Structure formats: C-alpha cells, structure tokens
C-alpha cells in the first residue's frame, strides 16, 4: 500500500481539572482536559504564550498508569490518536468535538522534567 494513513498524537502538558473517573464493567475510564503551551515572538518581538486545551480519554489497562496519580496541575505525557465524538444533547441538538484517545498515559516525574 502506498497511501498508508497515520493518526498519532503525542502531548505533554498539565491537567486542567481533576479527572473524572468512571467504572465501566470491570475496567475504568478517565476524562480530563490537558493544557499545552507554546511561547513565541509576535511581529513586535514581544514574547507571547498560546495555550491549547485538549480533551483526553484514557481506558485503564496496558500502558496506562493508575488513574489515582492524576489530578489538576500534574504534568503528564499522552500518546494516542485523534477521534471525532458526536452526540445529541437533551434538546435534540447535534454536537461534535475532537478528543485524544490515549494508548499511553504517564505522569512526568521531576527528574524527567529537569532533563529537558
């Protein structure tokens, strides 16, 4: 195949609020927002910071840490794929948003941050 597609996302950022954790059958799923920031110079040479918020969903299992270590402000590394989520609200209105479905999720330790 010449046209093989790839859907892979790697993010490192801080959790925006305490994650929501739910039990589904015999496993757990968590949802949280993740902030990533980029610093750049604008046309005038002034430093600016741009923050992007990402919706993250992670299921417990292989390559996913214990969710109990996750809370607001924690620096995490996420590897996964983008997917579009569609739903209809109680008023019958259709909505759509993008999320990262994590295949790997880990807390970045203090020693890891100092090596960057």
């Amino acid at each position: 195949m010449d046209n093989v597609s790839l859907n892979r996302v790697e993010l490192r950022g801080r959790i925006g609020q305490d994650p929501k954790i739910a039990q589904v059958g015999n496993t757990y799923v968590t949802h949280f927002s993740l902030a990533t920031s980029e610093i750049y110079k604008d046309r005038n040479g002034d430093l600016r910071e741009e923050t992007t918020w990402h919706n993250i969903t992670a299921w417990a299992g292989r390559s996913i840490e214990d969710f109990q270590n996750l809370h607001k402000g924690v620096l995490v590394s996420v590897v996964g794929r983008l997917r579009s989520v569609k739903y209809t609200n109680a008023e019958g209105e259709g909505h759509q948003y993008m999320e990262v479905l994590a295949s790997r999720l880990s807390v970045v330790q203090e020693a890891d941050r100092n090596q960057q």
Side-chain angles (χ1 to χ4, degrees):
M1 253 186 240
D2 290 337
N3 295 327
V4 177
S5 63
L6 176 66
N7 182 351
R8 180 181 166 99
V9 176
E10 294 185 42
L11 301 169
R12 181 176 287 200
R14 296 204 177 270
I15 296 175
Q17 82 284 346
D18 287 336
K20 297 174 183 167
I21 301 171
Q23 185 171 0
V24 179
N26 294 329
T27 191
Y28 291 88
V29 62
T30 186
H31 302 280
F32 59 91
S33 61
L34 183 74
T36 58
S37 296
E38 180 179 352
I39 297 175
Y40 65 95
K41 285 186 181 180
D42 66 13
R43 290 182 181 169
N44 299 322
D46 297 324
L47 288 179
R48 300 283 182 211
E49 182 175 11
E50 180 179 84
T51 300
T52 302
W53 288 93
H54 312 273
N55 297 307
I56 309 294
T57 297
W59 290 85
R62 256 185 8 199
S63 301
I64 302 290
E65 275 189 6
D66 179 5
F67 295 149
Q68 300 308 313
N69 295 327
L70 305 178
H71 55 85
K72 180 179 179 177
V74 169
L75 183 65
V76 295
S77 175
V78 176
V79 176
R81 65 181 176 88
L82 282 176
R83 75 174 177 179
S84 176
V85 177
K86 296 178 184 179
Y87 68 96
T88 303
N89 67 14
E91 290 78 33
E93 300 167 326
H95 294 274
Q96 181 175 344
Y97 65 93
M98 297 298 289
E99 75 174 358
V100 175
L101 181 58
S103 57
R104 285 188 289 170
L105 171 64
S106 59
V107 172
V108 177
Q109 301 300 320
E110 197 67 35
D112 294 340
R113 285 191 290 195
N114 293 334
Q115 293 176 6
Q116 295 179 20

Short mmCIF file of all heavy atoms in Angstrom, two decimals, residues 47-113:
data_model
loop_
_atom_site.label_atom_id
_atom_site.label_comp_id
_atom_site.label_asym_id
_atom_site.label_seq_id
_atom_site.Cartn_x
_atom_site.Cartn_y
_atom_site.Cartn_z
N LEU A 47 7.35 38.49 23.57
CA LEU A 47 7.05 37.09 23.84
C LEU A 47 5.57 36.92 24.15
O LEU A 47 4.99 37.68 24.92
CB LEU A 47 7.87 36.56 25.01
CG LEU A 47 9.36 36.35 24.74
CD1 LEU A 47 10.06 35.86 26.01
CD2 LEU A 47 9.58 35.37 23.61
N ARG A 48 4.97 35.94 23.53
CA ARG A 48 3.56 35.60 23.74
C ARG A 48 3.47 34.12 24.08
O ARG A 48 4.28 33.31 23.62
CB ARG A 48 2.73 35.87 22.49
CG ARG A 48 2.75 37.29 22.03
CD ARG A 48 1.85 38.12 22.89
NE ARG A 48 1.85 39.49 22.40
CZ ARG A 48 1.69 40.53 23.17
NH1 ARG A 48 1.51 40.38 24.45
NH2 ARG A 48 1.70 41.74 22.67
N GLU A 49 2.45 33.77 24.85
CA GLU A 49 2.20 32.37 25.16
C GLU A 49 0.82 32.00 24.64
O GLU A 49 -0.16 32.71 24.90
CB GLU A 49 2.28 32.11 26.66
CG GLU A 49 2.08 30.66 27.03
CD GLU A 49 2.29 30.39 28.51
OE1 GLU A 49 2.38 31.35 29.29
OE2 GLU A 49 2.35 29.21 28.88
N GLU A 50 0.75 30.90 23.90
CA GLU A 50 -0.52 30.40 23.38
C GLU A 50 -0.78 29.04 24.00
O GLU A 50 0.04 28.13 23.89
CB GLU A 50 -0.45 30.27 21.86
CG GLU A 50 -1.73 29.76 21.25
CD GLU A 50 -1.62 29.68 19.74
OE1 GLU A 50 -1.10 28.66 19.26
OE2 GLU A 50 -2.05 30.62 19.07
N THR A 51 -1.92 28.92 24.67
CA THR A 51 -2.30 27.66 25.32
C THR A 51 -3.40 26.99 24.52
O THR A 51 -4.36 27.64 24.11
CB THR A 51 -2.77 27.90 26.76
OG1 THR A 51 -1.69 28.50 27.50
CG2 THR A 51 -3.18 26.60 27.44
N THR A 52 -3.25 25.70 24.28
CA THR A 52 -4.25 24.90 23.60
C THR A 52 -4.77 23.85 24.58
O THR A 52 -3.98 23.20 25.28
CB THR A 52 -3.65 24.19 22.36
OG1 THR A 52 -3.11 25.19 21.48
CG2 THR A 52 -4.71 23.38 21.62
N TRP A 53 -6.09 23.70 24.62
CA TRP A 53 -6.71 22.71 25.50
C TRP A 53 -7.12 21.49 24.68
O TRP A 53 -7.67 21.62 23.59
CB TRP A 53 -7.93 23.31 26.19
CG TRP A 53 -7.52 24.31 27.22
CD1 TRP A 53 -7.39 25.66 27.05
CD2 TRP A 53 -7.15 24.04 28.57
NE1 TRP A 53 -6.96 26.23 28.22
CE2 TRP A 53 -6.81 25.27 29.16
CE3 TRP A 53 -7.07 22.87 29.34
CZ2 TRP A 53 -6.39 25.37 30.50
CZ3 TRP A 53 -6.67 22.97 30.66
CH2 TRP A 53 -6.33 24.20 31.22
N HIS A 54 -6.83 20.31 25.23
CA HIS A 54 -7.13 19.03 24.58
C HIS A 54 -8.03 18.20 25.48
O HIS A 54 -7.82 18.15 26.69
CB HIS A 54 -5.83 18.25 24.31
CG HIS A 54 -4.76 19.06 23.68
ND1 HIS A 54 -4.65 19.21 22.32
CD2 HIS A 54 -3.76 19.80 24.22
CE1 HIS A 54 -3.61 19.99 22.04
NE2 HIS A 54 -3.06 20.36 23.18
N ASN A 55 -9.03 17.55 24.89
CA ASN A 55 -9.87 16.60 25.62
C ASN A 55 -9.20 15.23 25.55
O ASN A 55 -8.93 14.73 24.46
CB ASN A 55 -11.26 16.51 24.99
CG ASN A 55 -12.00 17.82 25.06
OD1 ASN A 55 -12.15 18.39 26.12
ND2 ASN A 55 -12.46 18.32 23.91
N ILE A 56 -8.96 14.62 26.71
CA ILE A 56 -8.27 13.32 26.78
C ILE A 56 -9.22 12.28 27.37
O ILE A 56 -9.89 12.54 28.36
CB ILE A 56 -7.00 13.40 27.67
CG1 ILE A 56 -6.11 14.57 27.28
CG2 ILE A 56 -6.27 12.06 27.66
CD1 ILE A 56 -5.47 14.48 25.92
N THR A 57 -9.24 11.10 26.74
CA THR A 57 -9.95 9.94 27.28
C THR A 57 -8.96 8.79 27.35
O THR A 57 -8.23 8.54 26.39
CB THR A 57 -11.13 9.53 26.38
OG1 THR A 57 -12.08 10.60 26.36
CG2 THR A 57 -11.82 8.28 26.89
N ALA A 58 -8.90 8.13 28.50
CA ALA A 58 -7.97 7.01 28.67
C ALA A 58 -8.68 5.87 29.40
O ALA A 58 -9.36 6.11 30.40
CB ALA A 58 -6.74 7.44 29.46
N TRP A 59 -8.50 4.68 28.89
CA TRP A 59 -9.05 3.47 29.50
C TRP A 59 -7.94 2.78 30.27
O TRP A 59 -6.80 2.71 29.80
CB TRP A 59 -9.61 2.53 28.43
CG TRP A 59 -10.85 3.05 27.80
CD1 TRP A 59 -10.93 3.92 26.75
CD2 TRP A 59 -12.18 2.76 28.18
NE1 TRP A 59 -12.23 4.19 26.45
CE2 TRP A 59 -13.03 3.48 27.31
CE3 TRP A 59 -12.74 1.95 29.16
CZ2 TRP A 59 -14.41 3.42 27.41
CZ3 TRP A 59 -14.13 1.89 29.25
CH2 TRP A 59 -14.95 2.61 28.39
N ALA A 60 -8.25 2.23 31.43
CA ALA A 60 -7.26 1.50 32.23
C ALA A 60 -6.82 0.26 31.47
O ALA A 60 -7.59 -0.32 30.69
CB ALA A 60 -7.85 1.11 33.58
N GLY A 61 -5.59 -0.13 31.67
CA GLY A 61 -5.08 -1.33 31.02
C GLY A 61 -3.61 -1.17 30.70
O GLY A 61 -2.92 -0.35 31.29
N ARG A 62 -3.13 -1.96 29.76
CA ARG A 62 -1.73 -1.91 29.36
C ARG A 62 -1.31 -0.50 29.00
O ARG A 62 -2.02 0.21 28.31
CB ARG A 62 -1.50 -2.81 28.16
CG ARG A 62 -0.83 -4.09 28.50
CD ARG A 62 -0.51 -4.93 27.30
NE ARG A 62 -0.73 -4.29 26.02
CZ ARG A 62 -0.85 -4.94 24.91
NH1 ARG A 62 -0.76 -6.24 24.89
NH2 ARG A 62 -1.04 -4.31 23.77
N SER A 63 -0.15 -0.09 29.46
CA SER A 63 0.46 1.21 29.15
C SER A 63 -0.31 2.40 29.72
O SER A 63 -0.07 3.52 29.33
CB SER A 63 0.64 1.39 27.64
OG SER A 63 1.46 0.38 27.12
N ILE A 64 -1.24 2.17 30.63
CA ILE A 64 -1.96 3.26 31.28
C ILE A 64 -1.72 3.13 32.78
O ILE A 64 -2.01 2.10 33.38
CB ILE A 64 -3.47 3.22 30.99
CG1 ILE A 64 -3.75 3.29 29.49
CG2 ILE A 64 -4.21 4.31 31.74
CD1 ILE A 64 -3.45 4.62 28.83
N GLU A 65 -1.18 4.21 33.37
CA GLU A 65 -0.90 4.22 34.81
C GLU A 65 -2.18 4.20 35.62
O GLU A 65 -3.26 4.47 35.12
CB GLU A 65 -0.16 5.51 35.17
CG GLU A 65 1.30 5.46 35.00
CD GLU A 65 1.94 6.71 35.60
OE1 GLU A 65 1.27 7.54 36.24
OE2 GLU A 65 3.15 6.84 35.40
N ASP A 66 -2.02 3.97 36.91
CA ASP A 66 -3.11 4.07 37.87
C ASP A 66 -3.66 5.50 37.83
O ASP A 66 -2.93 6.46 37.98
CB ASP A 66 -2.57 3.75 39.26
CG ASP A 66 -3.62 3.84 40.35
OD1 ASP A 66 -4.80 4.07 40.02
OD2 ASP A 66 -3.25 3.69 41.51
N PHE A 67 -4.95 5.65 37.62
CA PHE A 67 -5.56 6.96 37.50
C PHE A 67 -5.51 7.77 38.80
O PHE A 67 -5.71 8.98 38.79
CB PHE A 67 -7.02 6.85 37.04
CG PHE A 67 -7.19 6.29 35.66
CD1 PHE A 67 -8.30 5.55 35.35
CD2 PHE A 67 -6.25 6.50 34.66
CE1 PHE A 67 -8.49 5.04 34.07
CE2 PHE A 67 -6.42 6.00 33.39
CZ PHE A 67 -7.55 5.27 33.10
N GLN A 68 -5.26 7.12 39.92
CA GLN A 68 -5.26 7.82 41.19
C GLN A 68 -4.12 8.84 41.28
O GLN A 68 -4.15 9.74 42.11
CB GLN A 68 -5.17 6.82 42.35
CG GLN A 68 -6.32 5.84 42.39
CD GLN A 68 -7.68 6.52 42.35
OE1 GLN A 68 -7.93 7.47 43.07
NE2 GLN A 68 -8.57 6.03 41.49
N ASN A 69 -3.09 8.74 40.42
CA ASN A 69 -1.99 9.70 40.42
C ASN A 69 -2.32 10.96 39.63
O ASN A 69 -1.52 11.90 39.60
CB ASN A 69 -0.74 9.07 39.79
CG ASN A 69 -0.22 7.92 40.62
OD1 ASN A 69 -0.33 7.93 41.84
ND2 ASN A 69 0.32 6.92 39.95
N LEU A 70 -3.47 11.00 38.99
CA LEU A 70 -3.83 12.12 38.13
C LEU A 70 -4.69 13.12 38.90
O LEU A 70 -5.69 12.76 39.50
CB LEU A 70 -4.61 11.62 36.92
CG LEU A 70 -3.93 10.55 36.07
CD1 LEU A 70 -4.84 10.12 34.94
CD2 LEU A 70 -2.59 11.04 35.54
N HIS A 71 -4.29 14.39 38.86
CA HIS A 71 -5.10 15.45 39.44
C HIS A 71 -4.70 16.78 38.82
O HIS A 71 -3.70 16.86 38.07
CB HIS A 71 -5.00 15.49 40.97
CG HIS A 71 -3.60 15.61 41.49
ND1 HIS A 71 -2.96 16.80 41.62
CD2 HIS A 71 -2.71 14.66 41.87
CE1 HIS A 71 -1.74 16.60 42.08
NE2 HIS A 71 -1.56 15.31 42.23
N LYS A 72 -5.47 17.81 39.08
CA LYS A 72 -5.24 19.12 38.49
C LYS A 72 -3.80 19.57 38.69
O LYS A 72 -3.25 19.45 39.78
CB LYS A 72 -6.19 20.14 39.12
CG LYS A 72 -6.04 21.53 38.56
CD LYS A 72 -7.02 22.49 39.20
CE LYS A 72 -6.81 23.89 38.63
NZ LYS A 72 -7.78 24.83 39.17
N GLY A 73 -3.18 20.06 37.61
CA GLY A 73 -1.84 20.61 37.69
C GLY A 73 -0.71 19.62 37.43
O GLY A 73 0.43 20.03 37.22
N VAL A 74 -1.01 18.32 37.42
CA VAL A 74 0.03 17.31 37.21
C VAL A 74 0.48 17.33 35.75
O VAL A 74 -0.32 17.44 34.83
CB VAL A 74 -0.50 15.91 37.60
CG1 VAL A 74 0.44 14.80 37.14
CG2 VAL A 74 -0.72 15.83 39.09
N LEU A 75 1.81 17.25 35.55
CA LEU A 75 2.39 17.19 34.22
C LEU A 75 2.34 15.74 33.73
O LEU A 75 2.83 14.84 34.42
CB LEU A 75 3.83 17.70 34.25
CG LEU A 75 4.57 17.76 32.92
CD1 LEU A 75 3.92 18.79 31.99
CD2 LEU A 75 6.03 18.13 33.17
N VAL A 76 1.71 15.52 32.56
CA VAL A 76 1.58 14.16 32.04
C VAL A 76 2.02 14.11 30.58
O VAL A 76 2.02 15.11 29.87
CB VAL A 76 0.13 13.62 32.15
CG1 VAL A 76 -0.29 13.46 33.59
CG2 VAL A 76 -0.85 14.48 31.39
N SER A 77 2.38 12.92 30.17
CA SER A 77 2.70 12.62 28.78
C SER A 77 1.60 11.71 28.26
O SER A 77 1.25 10.72 28.91
CB SER A 77 4.06 11.92 28.71
OG SER A 77 4.33 11.52 27.40
N VAL A 78 1.07 12.05 27.08
CA VAL A 78 -0.03 11.29 26.48
C VAL A 78 0.35 10.92 25.05
O VAL A 78 0.81 11.77 24.29
CB VAL A 78 -1.34 12.11 26.45
CG1 VAL A 78 -2.45 11.35 25.75
CG2 VAL A 78 -1.75 12.53 27.84
N VAL A 79 0.16 9.67 24.70
CA VAL A 79 0.30 9.21 23.32
C VAL A 79 -1.02 8.56 22.96
O VAL A 79 -1.57 7.78 23.74
CB VAL A 79 1.46 8.20 23.15
CG1 VAL A 79 1.51 7.67 21.72
CG2 VAL A 79 2.78 8.82 23.55
N GLY A 80 -1.54 8.89 21.80
CA GLY A 80 -2.82 8.31 21.40
C GLY A 80 -3.18 8.71 19.99
O GLY A 80 -2.31 8.98 19.16
N ARG A 81 -4.49 8.74 19.73
CA ARG A 81 -4.97 9.10 18.40
C ARG A 81 -6.15 10.06 18.54
O ARG A 81 -6.85 10.06 19.55
CB ARG A 81 -5.39 7.86 17.62
CG ARG A 81 -6.58 7.12 18.21
CD ARG A 81 -6.92 5.88 17.37
NE ARG A 81 -7.98 5.11 17.98
CZ ARG A 81 -9.27 5.30 17.77
NH1 ARG A 81 -9.68 6.25 16.96
NH2 ARG A 81 -10.17 4.54 18.36
N LEU A 82 -6.32 10.89 17.52
CA LEU A 82 -7.45 11.81 17.48
C LEU A 82 -8.71 11.08 17.03
O LEU A 82 -8.64 10.22 16.14
CB LEU A 82 -7.19 12.95 16.50
CG LEU A 82 -6.28 14.06 16.94
CD1 LEU A 82 -6.08 15.04 15.78
CD2 LEU A 82 -6.84 14.79 18.15
N ARG A 83 -9.82 11.44 17.63
CA ARG A 83 -11.09 10.93 17.12
C ARG A 83 -12.16 11.98 17.33
O ARG A 83 -12.10 12.80 18.24
CB ARG A 83 -11.47 9.60 17.76
CG ARG A 83 -11.98 9.66 19.15
CD ARG A 83 -12.47 8.28 19.59
NE ARG A 83 -12.91 8.34 20.98
CZ ARG A 83 -13.39 7.32 21.62
NH1 ARG A 83 -13.48 6.14 21.02
NH2 ARG A 83 -13.78 7.43 22.87
N SER A 84 -13.14 11.95 16.44
CA SER A 84 -14.25 12.88 16.48
C SER A 84 -15.39 12.23 17.25
O SER A 84 -15.75 11.08 17.00
CB SER A 84 -14.70 13.19 15.05
OG SER A 84 -15.82 14.02 15.07
N VAL A 85 -15.94 12.96 18.21
CA VAL A 85 -17.05 12.47 19.03
C VAL A 85 -18.29 13.28 18.68
O VAL A 85 -18.26 14.51 18.71
CB VAL A 85 -16.73 12.59 20.53
CG1 VAL A 85 -17.91 12.15 21.37
CG2 VAL A 85 -15.48 11.80 20.88
N LYS A 86 -19.36 12.58 18.34
CA LYS A 86 -20.64 13.24 18.03
C LYS A 86 -21.67 12.79 19.06
O LYS A 86 -21.69 11.63 19.47
CB LYS A 86 -21.12 12.83 16.64
CG LYS A 86 -20.20 13.28 15.54
CD LYS A 86 -20.69 12.80 14.19
CE LYS A 86 -19.69 13.17 13.10
NZ LYS A 86 -20.13 12.70 11.79
N TYR A 87 -22.51 13.74 19.48
CA TYR A 87 -23.58 13.40 20.40
C TYR A 87 -24.75 14.36 20.21
O TYR A 87 -24.60 15.43 19.61
CB TYR A 87 -23.09 13.42 21.85
CG TYR A 87 -22.75 14.80 22.36
CD1 TYR A 87 -23.68 15.54 23.10
CD2 TYR A 87 -21.51 15.38 22.12
CE1 TYR A 87 -23.38 16.80 23.57
CE2 TYR A 87 -21.20 16.64 22.58
CZ TYR A 87 -22.14 17.35 23.31
OH TYR A 87 -21.83 18.61 23.76
N THR A 88 -25.90 13.96 20.73
CA THR A 88 -27.10 14.79 20.69
C THR A 88 -27.47 15.13 22.12
O THR A 88 -27.58 14.24 22.96
CB THR A 88 -28.26 14.04 20.00
OG1 THR A 88 -27.82 13.66 18.68
CG2 THR A 88 -29.50 14.90 19.90
N ASN A 89 -27.66 16.43 22.41
CA ASN A 89 -28.00 16.83 23.77
C ASN A 89 -29.48 16.61 24.05
O ASN A 89 -30.24 16.17 23.17
CB ASN A 89 -27.55 18.27 24.05
CG ASN A 89 -28.33 19.29 23.23
OD1 ASN A 89 -29.36 19.01 22.64
ND2 ASN A 89 -27.81 20.52 23.21
N ALA A 90 -29.91 16.95 25.25
CA ALA A 90 -31.29 16.72 25.68
C ALA A 90 -32.29 17.50 24.83
O ALA A 90 -33.45 17.10 24.70
CB ALA A 90 -31.45 17.08 27.15
N GLU A 91 -31.85 18.61 24.24
CA GLU A 91 -32.73 19.42 23.39
C GLU A 91 -32.77 18.92 21.96
O GLU A 91 -33.39 19.53 21.09
CB GLU A 91 -32.29 20.89 23.42
CG GLU A 91 -32.52 21.60 24.75
CD GLU A 91 -31.49 21.23 25.79
OE1 GLU A 91 -30.32 21.00 25.44
OE2 GLU A 91 -31.87 21.15 26.98
N GLY A 92 -32.06 17.84 21.67
CA GLY A 92 -32.05 17.27 20.33
C GLY A 92 -31.05 17.91 19.38
O GLY A 92 -31.07 17.64 18.19
N GLU A 93 -30.17 18.75 19.92
CA GLU A 93 -29.17 19.43 19.09
C GLU A 93 -27.91 18.56 18.95
O GLU A 93 -27.41 18.03 19.94
CB GLU A 93 -28.77 20.77 19.72
CG GLU A 93 -29.93 21.72 19.89
CD GLU A 93 -29.61 22.90 20.79
OE1 GLU A 93 -28.84 22.72 21.76
OE2 GLU A 93 -30.13 23.99 20.52
N GLY A 94 -27.43 18.46 17.74
CA GLY A 94 -26.22 17.68 17.49
C GLY A 94 -24.96 18.49 17.80
O GLY A 94 -24.91 19.69 17.52
N HIS A 95 -23.98 17.85 18.41
CA HIS A 95 -22.71 18.48 18.75
C HIS A 95 -21.57 17.55 18.36
O HIS A 95 -21.76 16.33 18.24
CB HIS A 95 -22.63 18.79 20.24
CG HIS A 95 -23.61 19.82 20.69
ND1 HIS A 95 -23.35 21.16 20.62
CD2 HIS A 95 -24.86 19.69 21.19
CE1 HIS A 95 -24.39 21.83 21.07
NE2 HIS A 95 -25.33 20.95 21.43
N GLN A 96 -20.41 18.14 18.20
CA GLN A 96 -19.23 17.36 17.83
C GLN A 96 -17.99 18.02 18.45
O GLN A 96 -17.91 19.24 18.53
CB GLN A 96 -19.09 17.33 16.31
CG GLN A 96 -17.92 16.54 15.81
CD GLN A 96 -17.91 16.44 14.29
OE1 GLN A 96 -18.90 16.71 13.62
NE2 GLN A 96 -16.78 16.06 13.74
N TYR A 97 -17.03 17.20 18.89
CA TYR A 97 -15.76 17.72 19.37
C TYR A 97 -14.68 16.68 19.10
O TYR A 97 -14.97 15.52 18.81
CB TYR A 97 -15.82 18.09 20.86
CG TYR A 97 -16.03 16.93 21.80
CD1 TYR A 97 -14.95 16.27 22.38
CD2 TYR A 97 -17.30 16.49 22.12
CE1 TYR A 97 -15.13 15.21 23.24
CE2 TYR A 97 -17.51 15.43 22.98
CZ TYR A 97 -16.41 14.80 23.55
OH TYR A 97 -16.60 13.74 24.39
N MET A 98 -13.44 17.13 19.17
CA MET A 98 -12.30 16.23 18.97
C MET A 98 -11.73 15.85 20.33
O MET A 98 -11.70 16.67 21.25
CB MET A 98 -11.20 16.92 18.15
CG MET A 98 -11.62 17.29 16.74
SD MET A 98 -12.07 15.89 15.72
CE MET A 98 -10.47 15.14 15.47
N GLU A 99 -11.28 14.61 20.44
CA GLU A 99 -10.61 14.16 21.66
C GLU A 99 -9.41 13.31 21.28
O GLU A 99 -9.31 12.82 20.15
CB GLU A 99 -11.56 13.37 22.56
CG GLU A 99 -11.87 11.98 22.10
CD GLU A 99 -12.70 11.17 23.09
OE1 GLU A 99 -13.03 11.67 24.18
OE2 GLU A 99 -13.02 10.04 22.76
N VAL A 100 -8.52 13.15 22.24
CA VAL A 100 -7.39 12.24 22.09
C VAL A 100 -7.73 10.99 22.88
O VAL A 100 -7.98 11.06 24.08
CB VAL A 100 -6.07 12.87 22.61
CG1 VAL A 100 -4.94 11.85 22.55
CG2 VAL A 100 -5.72 14.11 21.82
N LEU A 101 -7.77 9.85 22.20
CA LEU A 101 -7.98 8.57 22.85
C LEU A 101 -6.59 8.03 23.17
O LEU A 101 -5.82 7.66 22.28
CB LEU A 101 -8.74 7.61 21.94
CG LEU A 101 -9.06 6.24 22.52
CD1 LEU A 101 -9.87 6.37 23.81
CD2 LEU A 101 -9.80 5.41 21.51
N ALA A 102 -6.23 8.05 24.45
CA ALA A 102 -4.87 7.71 24.87
C ALA A 102 -4.61 6.22 24.80
O ALA A 102 -5.42 5.41 25.23
CB ALA A 102 -4.63 8.20 26.29
N SER A 103 -3.44 5.86 24.27
CA SER A 103 -2.97 4.47 24.33
C SER A 103 -1.85 4.35 25.36
O SER A 103 -1.59 3.27 25.86
CB SER A 103 -2.48 4.01 22.95
OG SER A 103 -1.47 4.87 22.48
N ARG A 104 -1.20 5.47 25.66
CA ARG A 104 -0.19 5.54 26.73
C ARG A 104 -0.40 6.83 27.49
O ARG A 104 -0.61 7.88 26.90
CB ARG A 104 1.23 5.49 26.18
CG ARG A 104 1.63 4.11 25.72
CD ARG A 104 3.08 4.05 25.37
NE ARG A 104 3.28 4.81 24.13
CZ ARG A 104 4.45 5.14 23.64
NH1 ARG A 104 5.55 4.83 24.26
NH2 ARG A 104 4.53 5.81 22.50
N LEU A 105 -0.31 6.75 28.80
CA LEU A 105 -0.51 7.89 29.67
C LEU A 105 0.39 7.73 30.88
O LEU A 105 0.36 6.68 31.53
CB LEU A 105 -1.97 7.97 30.11
CG LEU A 105 -2.36 8.97 31.18
CD1 LEU A 105 -2.12 10.39 30.70
CD2 LEU A 105 -3.81 8.77 31.58
N SER A 106 1.23 8.72 31.14
CA SER A 106 2.11 8.61 32.31
C SER A 106 2.38 9.98 32.91
O SER A 106 2.40 10.99 32.21
CB SER A 106 3.42 7.92 31.95
OG SER A 106 4.09 8.64 30.94
N VAL A 107 2.57 9.98 34.23
CA VAL A 107 2.94 11.19 34.94
C VAL A 107 4.41 11.43 34.67
O VAL A 107 5.23 10.51 34.74
CB VAL A 107 2.67 11.02 36.45
CG1 VAL A 107 3.23 12.21 37.23
CG2 VAL A 107 1.18 10.84 36.70
N VAL A 108 4.78 12.68 34.35
CA VAL A 108 6.17 13.03 34.11
C VAL A 108 6.80 13.33 35.47
O VAL A 108 6.35 14.23 36.19
CB VAL A 108 6.29 14.25 33.17
CG1 VAL A 108 7.74 14.66 33.00
CG2 VAL A 108 5.65 13.94 31.83
N GLN A 109 7.81 12.56 35.82
CA GLN A 109 8.48 12.71 37.11
C GLN A 109 9.40 13.93 37.12
O GLN A 109 9.86 14.38 36.07
CB GLN A 109 9.27 11.45 37.45
CG GLN A 109 8.42 10.19 37.51
CD GLN A 109 7.33 10.28 38.57
OE1 GLN A 109 7.54 10.80 39.65
NE2 GLN A 109 6.16 9.78 38.24
N GLU A 110 9.69 14.45 38.29
CA GLU A 110 10.55 15.64 38.44
C GLU A 110 11.87 15.48 37.73
O GLU A 110 12.33 16.39 37.04
CB GLU A 110 10.79 15.91 39.93
CG GLU A 110 11.30 17.29 40.21
CD GLU A 110 10.28 18.38 39.92
OE1 GLU A 110 9.08 18.17 40.13
OE2 GLU A 110 10.70 19.46 39.47
N ALA A 111 12.51 14.33 37.82
CA ALA A 111 13.81 14.10 37.16
C ALA A 111 13.67 14.19 35.65
O ALA A 111 14.55 14.69 34.96
CB ALA A 111 14.37 12.74 37.56
N ASP A 112 12.53 13.72 35.09
CA ASP A 112 12.30 13.77 33.65
C ASP A 112 12.20 15.21 33.17
O ASP A 112 12.68 15.58 32.14
CB ASP A 112 11.01 13.03 33.27
CG ASP A 112 11.10 11.54 33.52
OD1 ASP A 112 12.24 11.03 33.61
OD2 ASP A 112 10.05 10.90 33.64
N ARG A 113 11.54 16.07 33.97
CA ARG A 113 11.37 17.47 33.59
C ARG A 113 12.71 18.20 33.56
O ARG A 113 12.93 19.04 32.73
CB ARG A 113 10.44 18.19 34.55
CG ARG A 113 9.01 17.82 34.34
CD ARG A 113 8.13 18.73 35.12
NE ARG A 113 8.28 18.45 36.54
CZ ARG A 113 7.45 18.87 37.46
NH1 ARG A 113 6.43 19.59 37.15
NH2 ARG A 113 7.63 18.58 38.72
#
